[in-house]
Amino acid sequence: MALPAVVPRHIAIVMDGNGRWASKRFLPRIAGHQQGVEALKRIVRACAKHKIAVLTVFAFSSENWSRPAEEVSGLMELLAMALSKEVSQLKRDGVQLHFVGARETLSDRVKHGFDSAEASTAENTTLVLNVCFNYGGRWDMVQAAKRLVHAGLAINEDSLARSMALAHCPDPDLIIRTGGETRISNFLLWQAAYSELYFCDVLWPDFDEGELDIALQAYASRERRFGKTSDQLAVGTLPA
Ligand code: FPP
């Protein structure tokens, strides 16, 4: 498939459908999450190939703690495995890793893994990969406001945006949700203000470069007006 003319700078993904992928195969849910990691590796490579600058993925939400204990501990184990197995390859591929979310309640092992993965990939420039872990859009707004209050600074759109956990990136141009649900589920509530939304029925473990191409084609066909009219866009400029 030909590359679309307009490629988003920043894609964010709600990687939904791992559990159903596993259930359909009479496998435990964690098997779906394991395949989810494989899908994520494919999409990281595809994004780098398409020269997308930033990929942000929702790996574990603030609300996921209420899942069965066995699934939560399985996801923590999978994260620890992925940190020990995948970071060196990501480093070689030029990926700059960021872990976005509340860290206080995570284990020392996970916190150390995040710190060391971020430090070892900090100089990379091919693709920024933000892994949202113990993250929620409401958490992000509250932590940003608290930081400003603590520093005695005024709260306005600019200062809040600069204090958000994703302040190192432009807002997402395209948010993809796999797995057939059509909701935002507390993901990037602030940053999604003008994002294009793309929903597909494909379960995350089945999402591949071909599916990404279809999403990119859909994105390329959208008209992004940022509150303006089509006529104004024809003569005006878009936000940087
Ligand atoms: C949603 O599918 C997916 C998650 C809650 C976890 C996503 C995690 C990965 C793709 C693996 C990468 C993460 C780590 C830890 C390295 P679901 O379980 O809600 O699926 P369902 O809707 O079919 O039940």
Side-chain angles (χ1 to χ4, degrees), residues 15-20 29 33 36-37 58-59 64 67 71 75 79 82 133 204:
M15 308 179 289
D16 197 13
N18 295 345
R20 277 165 287 161
R29 291 177 60 84
H33 296 312
V37 173
F58 207 178
N64 284 153
R67 291 196 170 201
E71 184 170 346
L75 277 164
L79 173 71
F133 199 91
W204 174 250

Side-chain angles (χ1 to χ4, degrees), residues 11 13 15 20 27 30 42-43 62 70 89 95 108 110 117 140 148 173 176 182 188 190 203 206 213-214 223 238:
I11 297 180
I13 309 183
M15 308 179 289
R20 277 165 287 161
L27 294 169
I30 197 67
R42 284 198 295 274
I43 296 309
S62 314
E70 187 186 61
Q89 184 61 49
V95 175
D108 287 345
V110 166
D140 196 9
L148 291 171
D173 301 296
I176 297 172
T182 48
L188 306 181
W190 175 270
L203 303 176
D206 292 327
D213 281 344
I214 295 170
E223 181 184 62
L238 290 174

Side-chain angles (χ1 to χ4, degrees), residues 85-105:
K85 268 182 60 195
E86 310 296 346
V87 172
S88 52
Q89 184 61 49
L90 290 168
K91 185 177 175 182
R92 282 195 294 278
D93 292 343
V95 175
Q96 185 187 111
L97 269 163
H98 295 260
F99 294 91
V100 178
R103 293 199 190 185
E104 314 82 70
T105 48

Side-chain angles (χ1 to χ4, degrees), residues 2-232:
L3 281 182
V6 183
V7 175
R9 274 182 306 180
H10 181 174
I11 297 180
I13 309 183
V14 179
M15 308 179 289
D16 197 13
N18 295 345
R20 277 165 287 161
W21 185 94
S23 299
K24 274 170 59 180
R25 290 161 179 78
F26 307 101
L27 294 169
R29 291 177 60 84
I30 197 67
H33 296 312
Q34 282 161 350
Q35 284 308 305
V37 173
E38 297 306 313
L40 179 54
K41 284 160 57 183
R42 284 198 295 274
I43 296 309
V44 166
R45 283 193 297 271
C47 284
K49 183 172 146 191
H50 286 268
K51 306 234 177 302
I52 285 150
V54 186
L55 173 65
T56 299
V57 293
F58 207 178
F60 192 87
S61 76
S62 314
E63 292 75 29
N64 284 153
W65 293 106
S66 54
R67 291 196 170 201
E70 187 186 61
E71 184 170 346
V72 171
S73 62
L75 277 164
M76 294 298 155
E77 199 50 44
L78 193 58
L79 173 71
M81 288 262 295
L83 284 169
S84 70
K85 268 182 60 195
E86 310 296 346
V87 172
S88 52
Q89 184 61 49
L90 290 168
K91 185 177 175 182
R92 282 195 294 278
D93 292 343
V95 175
Q96 185 187 111
L97 269 163
H98 295 260
F99 294 91
V100 178
R103 293 199 190 185
E104 314 82 70
T105 48
L106 301 176
S107 68
D108 287 345
R109 180 185 175 203
V110 166
K111 279 189 273 200
H112 176 74
F114 284 178
D115 289 343
S116 114
E118 286 179 341
S120 73
T121 61
E123 304 302 318
N124 281 345
T125 55
T126 303
L127 173 75
V128 170
L129 174 60
N130 298 308
V131 178
C132 294
F133 199 91
N134 199 18
Y135 169 88
R138 290 178 175 178
W139 163 83
D140 196 9
M141 288 190 221
V142 170
Q143 70 78 28
K146 278 183 177 169
R147 277 165 62 175
L148 291 171
V149 169
H150 188 70
L153 296 169
I155 296 181
N156 54 49
E157 284 198 22
D158 285 343
S159 64
L160 205 56
R162 279 198 300 272
S163 301
M164 305 289 287
L166 280 173
H168 57 285
C169 301
D171 286 345
D173 301 296
L174 172 64
I175 298 181
I176 297 172
R177 181 173 186 143
T178 62
E181 309 287 0
T182 48
R183 54 179 170 260
I184 207 81
S185 298
N186 200 14
F187 189 43
L188 306 181
L189 296 182
W190 175 270
Q191 297 85 349
Y194 286 101
S195 304
E196 295 296 325
L197 306 180
Y198 176 84
F199 299 100
C200 67
D201 290 334
V202 179
L203 303 176
W204 174 250
D206 292 327
F207 198 81
D208 59 13
E209 191 176 349
E211 294 295 337
L212 180 68
D213 281 344
I214 295 170
L216 291 175
Q217 295 283 354
Y219 173 80
S221 72
R222 307 270 179 96
E223 181 184 62
R224 304 190 71 194
R225 291 198 292 274
F226 299 95
K228 296 185 174 184
T229 67
S230 294
D231 290 347
Q232 284 176 306

